[in-house]
Structure formats: structure tokens, C-alpha cells
Amino acid sequence: MNTAGKSCRIGLRNLALAAGALVAFLTAAAPVAAATATPHATALSGNSQARAGEAFQCVRVEPSLPDLFAQNCDTDQWGPVTNFVVVDRRNNNKYSCQNGWVEGSVWVQGQGCRRS
């Protein structure tokens, strides 16, 4: 057998060994990654539980009822929320919302809201 044919066979064998090692590593790492997922990562993947009864105080609330958008809020939570209250710190107005999404202290978005 010539040198080129032998090199090619060795290269393919090494490639197969490397691919097998990568598959074994990923298989072992997947359960660890799932167990240590952050709440934000879980929320984005759609596997989070909606929390009920939350109250968020926000520096800026823009109601366009039945929806609202609030910024600079007092939470570090991420993900879907249900049956929650948003309090406008500027004037202490309170809004009860049926559904929404929280992006940490950055913003809260609500649907089915009414002034309470």
C-alpha cells in the first residue's frame, strides 16, 4: 500500500476517534447543564412555571390599557408571570394584570391589565 493511502486511513481513524470522544463528552455534559440551568435560561427555553401574586414597583409605567409596559422595576426575576400588580413609583398608581413577562429590573410587560 502506498503512503498516501495509509495516511488517509490513519486520518479517517483519528477523525472517527475524535468524533466518538466528542459524542461521549456531550452525552455526559447534557444532564449537568440541565441541572445547573439558570432561571433566565429556563424561562427562555419555555420550561419555566408562571408565578402568581407578584408585585413589582417600577420607576416608569406606561399604561395603554388593557396592556402596560414598565421600566426600572424592583425585581431580578425573569420569565412569565400571572395575576400580578405593577405599582408606578411616580404617582403610586396600581395596575392588576392577568398575564405578562418580566425581564429582571429592565422591564415588565403586562396584558389584561386594569387600574386598581
Side-chain angles (χ1 to χ4, degrees):
M1 173 173 277
N2 65 21
T3 306
K6 192 173 184 180
S7 293
C8 185
R9 229 180 351 167
I10 291 171
L12 289 174
R13 185 183 70 211
N14 289 342
L15 181 61
L17 288 172
L22 179 62
V23 168
F25 171 75
L26 293 176
T27 303
V32 173
T36 60
T38 63
H40 175 62
T42 304
L44 291 180
S45 69
N47 294 329
S48 65
Q49 295 283 62
R51 295 175 298 275
E54 303 282 346
F56 307 105
Q57 291 193 9
C58 303
V59 173
R60 182 174 181 162
V61 178
E62 299 172 10
S64 180
L65 300 177
D67 299 325
L68 71 77
F69 185 80
Q71 295 173 302
N72 299 334
C73 302
D74 66 348
T75 183
D76 61 352
Q77 298 176 13
W78 293 78
V81 288
T82 58
N83 300 321
F84 61 98
V85 174
V86 175
V87 179
D88 189 336
R89 284 188 184 161
R90 296 174 298 177
N91 53 24
N92 211 32
N93 287 341
K94 294 177 176 83
Y95 301 90
S96 299
C97 300
Q98 293 175 350
N99 300 302
W101 189 270
V102 179
E103 289 283 328
S105 63
V106 179
W107 57 265
V108 174
Q109 179 267 328
Q111 296 108 27
C113 303
R114 60 180 168 72
R115 190 165 173 196
S116 49

